[in-house]
Amino acid sequence: MRLFACDNCDQVVHFDNRQCVRCNHRLGFLPEDLAMHALEPRDDVAWQLVARPQRAVRFCANAALDICNWLTSADDPNPFCIACRHNRLVPNTNTQDGIDRWRRISQAQRHLFYSLLRWHLPHPDREEDPQGGLVFDFLEDVVQNDGNVVPAMTGHEEGLIAIRAAEADDVTRELARSAMDEPYRTLLGHFRHETGHFIWNKLVRDRNGFDAFRAVFGDERQDYGAALQNHYANGAPLGWQESFISAYAASHPWEDFAECFAHYLHIVDTLETARAFGIAIDPRGHEEMAAEVDFQPYRAKDAEQLASAWIPLSVAINAIQRSMGQPDSYPFVLSPPVIAKLDYVHALIQGANMEWQRAAA
């Protein structure tokens, strides 16, 4: 994520800020130019950009509960921003816990959409694509009469992404992470992984790109249900670390792709943040680990360029985490086969981006 600047006073502002700490102007994120803007009231509902007073905007309807800080055109008939209009079932707003959960969920969702919009990846909603458009259900757990809690399931089915709302709570998510023996589990990770399945549908399946996909990930026609059942019963095969980014990626080619898509977004977004802060890694006596993010990660030439910057950075971040008594932020290894898979994801994303640019020209 890059840093932004208040266009009234030039104070550095961040993606989730609501107000400038220097000039106190209200801030909002405008998806059409992927930038934060200082705002001034125009009327009871609309605002105008300080830098472009003729541009009338209003906040997403979810701003009323301080859930979203994104903007839309003042005359847009849809009350929600381009991210929130994909939501179908949302957490219970009649309780403070429900509102707090939704705020954390929305923060992760907006980070996902920043990447989708940055690359111009397809994201039709259910009005544009009734059968396979992208839609989110944030599901509550079911409490049975005897008090037993049946957890909601996170998953994807033909564009419908279900997210367990309770995983917005740190304790619940950590319990799930431990029970599943996962080294990493976050809301943003869920969003990126499950959206990877949607992107596979749009950019591989719907474009008949099976041959290129199978050459890298294997044959996805193998029984998916049986593959997952085997994974949960027996775990990942011995030596999975040599070819897969995670144990779960080894369960089936679909999950391998979704995991690689999620990690590609993790890497690019974090490298952009490092670049924005001017971070360079140059450990004395370990010159082979030196790295500087001196390129725009969203326009990297290939996955190798990303990996050459990411590996030293992730090692440094993990070391800092350990110094604070915290677990590694990135407990994964990018083996050569994994980098090849990331390069496939890179080519797929960049190809879709170039198609959009040609169509927009």
Side-chain angles (χ1 to χ4, degrees):
M1 181 64 63
R2 67 188 182 91
L3 293 173
F4 302 91
C6 172
D7 38 22
N8 179 67
C9 69
D10 207 35
Q11 169 72 23
V12 172
V13 297
H14 302 272
F15 184 63
D16 294 310
N17 286 160
R18 266 62 167 170
Q19 190 171 15
C20 178
V21 297
R22 177 184 289 172
C23 69
N24 294 321
H25 269 77
R26 182 74 183 270
L27 299 173
F29 182 82
L30 189 61
E32 69 184 45
D33 62 6
L34 295 172
M36 296 288 291
H37 289 281
L39 307 168
E40 290 181 342
R42 191 181 187 96
D43 53 41
D44 290 342
V45 176
W47 298 74
Q48 63 190 33
L49 307 186
V50 168
R52 287 180 281 154
Q54 73 279 7
R55 182 72 171 89
V57 296
R58 58 174 170 75
F59 278 97
C60 172
N62 286 331
L65 293 173
D66 194 27
I67 287 165
C68 181
N69 67 335
W70 280 26
L71 303 166
T72 187
S73 295
D75 58 357
D76 192 331
N78 195 314
F80 297 105
C81 72
I82 197 170
C84 290
R85 66 187 56 177
H86 288 268
N87 298 338
R88 187 173 68 173
L89 298 178
V90 300
N92 182 7
T93 59
N94 292 324
T95 68
Q96 188 59 49
D97 284 345
I99 293 174
D100 291 341
R101 282 177 174 178
W102 195 7
R103 285 173 181 160
R104 292 189 285 270
I105 290 169
S106 177
Q107 181 186 42
Q109 184 183 37
R110 286 181 277 111
H111 273 257
L112 165 72
F113 269 86
Y114 172 85
S115 296
L116 297 182
L117 295 171
R118 190 77 186 267
W119 277 308
H120 304 106
L121 290 174
H123 55 275
D125 58 27
R126 283 298 165 104
E127 288 189 8
E128 299 167 303
D129 182 357
Q131 302 302 318
L134 185 60
V135 62
F136 295 91
D137 284 350
F138 306 125
L139 302 179
E140 302 286 352
D141 294 346
V142 175
V143 181
Q144 297 177 325
N145 293 333
D146 60 1
N148 185 46
V149 176
V150 179
M153 297 297 292
T154 293
H156 168 269
E157 184 176 359
E158 201 59 46
L160 169 60
I161 292 176
I163 300 287
R164 184 189 179 195
E167 291 220 23
D169 302 327
D170 292 341
V171 172
T172 300
R173 190 173 59 256
E174 177 59 21
L175 288 172
R177 188 195 67 78
S178 298
M180 300 293 288
D181 194 26
E182 296 177 348
Y184 168 92
R185 190 180 183 97
T186 67
L187 277 174
L188 184 53
H190 283 324
F191 271 107
R192 287 171 170 167
H193 174 96
E194 301 303 339
T195 302
H197 290 297
F198 168 79
I199 292 297
W200 187 88
N201 286 352
K202 296 302 180 186
L203 299 186
V204 180
R205 184 196 66 185
D206 294 353
R207 299 186 179 191
N208 196 29
F210 296 111
D211 289 344
F213 172 80
R214 291 166 186 162
V216 177
F217 289 92
D219 194 340
E220 84 293 344
R221 290 171 292 187
Q222 62 181 277
D223 190 299
Y224 179 67
L228 290 190
Q229 185 176 13
N230 178 68
H231 172 77
Y232 289 123
N234 303 309
L238 291 176
W240 63 264
Q241 298 92 337
E242 297 176 5
S243 302
F244 299 95
I245 190 66
S246 68
Y248 190 53
S251 63
H252 189 275
W254 282 340
E255 297 302 342
D256 195 4
F257 176 86
E259 283 285 85
C260 287
F261 179 83
H263 279 260
Y264 186 85
L265 267 60
H266 293 335
I267 291 168
V268 170
D269 197 32
T270 307
L271 285 177
E272 186 183 43
T273 304
R275 181 174 186 259
F277 280 91
I279 293 175
I281 307 300
D282 188 15
R284 182 176 300 177
H286 294 277
E287 288 76 13
E288 75 281 0
M289 291 297 293
E292 181 180 0
V293 189
D294 56 357
F295 63 97
Q296 172 48 261
Y298 276 90
R299 294 196 292 270
K301 62 181 180 180
D302 52 31
E304 187 65 44
Q305 184 181 22
L306 293 170
S308 65
W310 174 246
I311 292 173
L313 178 64
S314 63
V315 169
I317 292 173
N318 288 343
I320 292 170
Q321 285 288 95
R322 294 170 193 170
S323 298
M324 293 293 293
Q326 297 291 332
D328 289 358
S329 289
Y330 194 76
F332 304 95
V333 175
L334 300 186
S335 65
V338 168
I339 294 175
K341 293 174 182 178
L342 293 175
D343 202 51
Y344 171 91
V345 174
H346 171 85
L348 198 70
I349 289 174
Q350 296 300 332
N353 188 23
M354 291 178 63
E355 286 182 17
W356 181 90
Q357 292 182 20
R358 286 194 294 266

